[in-house]
Amino acid sequence: MSELASQKPADPALAAHVAASIAEARGIYRTLFPTRRLHYVLSMGHDPVWARPEVTEGPHLPRPQDLGADYLGTITCPGPHPDAPEVTIRLAIPRPPTPGELRQTDAPWRPIRRLDWLFRASPLAYEQMRHGAEMLRKRRADRRADRAALPLGRGSALIGTPRPPASDKRPAILIGMHWLEMGGAEKLGFDTVRWALAAGLRVFVVASIPSIQRLADRLPDHPDVTFIRLDRYLPHALWPRYVERLALAENIRAVHIHHCTPLYDSLPMLRMHLPWVRTIDSTHIIEYANGGYPRISGVWSNYMDMQHVISRELVDYMQGTFHAPAGQVVLGRMLDRDDTAASLPPLRLTAGQKTLHVSFIGRLYYQKRPVVVVECLRALDAWATRNGVTLSATIVGEGPFEATLVALLRRHGLSGKVAMLPGKTDIPALLGRSDILLLPSNNEGLALVCYEAVVHGCIPISTRVGSQDEVLPEGLLVPLAPRATVRQTVAAVDAMWRDADLLARHKDGLQQAWTRLSADPTAEEVLTPVYRRIAEGTQA
């Protein structure tokens, strides 16, 4: 039954939003607590992404704070019998996002307050100091002791092993993503949904980070694909119990993790109670502060059936640091086989040309170092003026640094030369008219946009991070320290512009790297056969 807090007519759009949100939450908690009486205490939230769920297993005891100004009402869902234990679920229904929030929910970036003066005086000096602090954290992280795989006991023949129950449902897979927002890791997540569906699996998708999930509409519009909003309605501590219930109810035979922390935390439950469920992991980038998701994956490697990685650096990391079995760690490049032609198209840049278009494509977060991007463009603009070259540039992306970039471009007189475009820009078309792609990132795995650039005739210049040396020759890799990044980026452009022979050698280097990468299996080629075996019930 429903007890509404107000009888005033509701805005139809808001009423529909609240009704849809309640239906999503009820679906999740009915799966989690199929034998309980569920009592929902509902309020209207002030957050567009997070419902602030509180779950109490026991009788419902109303609290004064439940009946505040935002109180909506209560809903009670009976259990299977009158004496069913009760669970109380408190939810603040996320409000509809504003148009501005649909574009960006993070607060605008600001420099550290006590160093605001330094950023005003010299953004590059501020970046240099931040880089120094980051490298200090990296050195400390390298000494961490938690770089060993957790042991996993296989049990004893004296005690029976759980067996999968009979099910009349087709096999399914649970794919856990970080979020459904723009990014290389997310692209692979979306790809795996399509590949699993094509292999014959029903697909359930969850995300760990509360977000608007702007790219949810890129999931296939298919009855066998279901996006479950655990990120919005379920505390992380309850994910393992939910995953177990969902797996049993929906005949889930595999869990594929893409940078999804609560699914790592579900691995002990899977190994103990559902050992027939195949566990797959995909990782992309070693983070400086604590190793990031590859370290987490390595720690859980004994719980995995397959660890898919996108670079040889990560193969070495998993096998060398965590001693993962060689057959368990599988390299699968984030390339489409259709794109891996024997020869690249001609690269656009020519020596002595009188125009230069430079692009940057990436989320405007610190990892991509957007402030350093502007400093590179400022230095390239000065170089172009000295050499009679007309410079233009495009920055594609959204994020908390956007307002800072607009201000810096105006400050340096670059607003008329640099276009800023949203993340949904036609990237292939942009790369098809760009000469240089800038990647001054503080960290990368193996940047997908590098692949895209060379396929469309654009030359990338990247910091020497992650596995970028697997796709770029020596002369297109620049140091990580911000001042050196800017200086060497300009030097690399100048050297190619002045020396046709050097430019030809760089183009040959890109071709050789492309040929090596093309010889490796793609992610689709290593994952699709696994999905097919799971769909056919022959995953052993």
Side-chain angles (χ1 to χ4, degrees), residues 271-309:
R271 280 294 172 246
M272 181 176 288
H273 296 302
L274 287 77
W276 60 86
V277 173
R278 189 171 178 84
T279 53
I280 308 166
D281 187 35
S282 290
T283 51
H284 301 251
I285 179 172
I286 301 171
E287 301 284 359
Y288 288 143
N290 61 4
Y293 290 100
R295 185 193 67 82
I296 297 172
S297 178
V299 167
W300 288 105
S301 57
N302 286 331
Y303 288 71
M304 298 290 181
D305 293 303
M306 178 180 180
Q307 290 171 287
H308 163 238
V309 296

Side-chain angles (χ1 to χ4, degrees), residues 160-439:
T161 302
R163 307 294 298 173
S167 176
D168 59 358
K169 295 184 177 181
R170 282 177 29 237
I173 186 170
L174 175 63
I175 295 178
M177 296 172 61
H178 186 69
W179 56 12
L180 277 64
E181 302 281 350
M182 180 176 143
E186 286 67 35
K187 180 188 182 303
L188 179 61
F190 283 108
D191 285 342
T192 59
V193 172
R194 292 189 295 101
W195 300 336
L197 186 64
L201 289 166
R202 297 159 53 241
V203 184
F204 294 88
V205 180
V206 293
S208 64
I209 301 300
S211 167
I212 290 174
Q213 315 298 5
R214 293 171 183 82
L215 301 187
D217 60 355
R218 293 193 184 180
L219 290 170
D221 183 12
H222 193 282
D224 285 342
V225 177
T226 304
F227 179 34
I228 307 173
R229 293 304 305 269
L230 301 190
D231 62 291
R232 177 170 280 180
Y233 300 110
L234 191 67
H236 279 189
L238 290 175
W239 275 52
R241 293 170 65 181
Y242 179 86
V243 169
E244 179 180 17
R245 291 291 187 181
L246 183 70
L248 292 171
E250 297 292 346
N251 194 25
I252 287 175
R253 292 305 181 107
V255 172
H256 193 158
I257 305 174
H258 295 267
H259 296 186
C260 185
T261 302
L263 281 190
Y264 287 115
D265 294 338
S266 301
L267 289 171
M269 179 281 301
L270 290 170
R271 280 294 172 246
M272 181 176 288
H273 296 302
L274 287 77
W276 60 86
V277 173
R278 189 171 178 84
T279 53
I280 308 166
D281 187 35
S282 290
T283 51
H284 301 251
I285 179 172
I286 301 171
E287 301 284 359
Y288 288 143
N290 61 4
Y293 290 100
R295 185 193 67 82
I296 297 172
S297 178
V299 167
W300 288 105
S301 57
N302 286 331
Y303 288 71
M304 298 290 181
D305 293 303
M306 178 180 180
Q307 290 171 287
H308 163 238
V309 296
I310 67 163
S311 67
R312 295 199 178 277
E313 177 198 28
L314 284 172
V315 173
D316 295 340
Y317 181 74
M318 292 298 180
Q319 294 179 350
T321 303
F322 296 98
H323 309 292
Q328 180 173 303
V329 181
V330 180
L331 174 66
R333 299 287 188 183
M334 285 179 61
L335 286 171
D336 294 328
R337 183 55 68 192
D338 291 343
D339 290 338
T340 55
S343 297
L344 293 173
L347 296 170
R348 196 164 299 104
L349 185 68
T350 59
Q353 67 184 46
K354 292 303 181 182
T355 61
L356 184 73
H357 191 85
V358 179
S359 290
F360 166 82
I361 300 164
R363 297 170 61 243
L364 301 183
Y365 285 75
Y366 175 68
Q367 180 201 340
K368 305 297 183 180
R369 296 206 300 189
V371 171
V372 177
V373 171
V374 174
E375 294 296 328
C376 287
L377 293 176
R378 181 188 181 193
L380 284 169
D381 183 54
W383 170 87
T385 301
R386 291 194 304 271
N387 291 282
V389 174
T390 300
L391 177 75
S392 59
T394 303
I395 293 175
V396 175
E398 296 151 0
F401 275 82
E402 186 172 346
T404 297
L405 262 61
V406 170
L408 287 176
L409 292 171
R410 186 183 305 118
R411 171 178 169 179
H412 298 320
L414 294 172
S415 298
K417 298 180 180 181
V418 181
M420 293 191 65
L421 301 179
K424 292 190 176 181
T425 296
D426 185 343
I427 299 302
L430 172 62
L431 291 171
R433 62 178 185 271
S434 300
D435 301 299
I436 298 292
L437 176 73
L438 297 180
L439 291 98

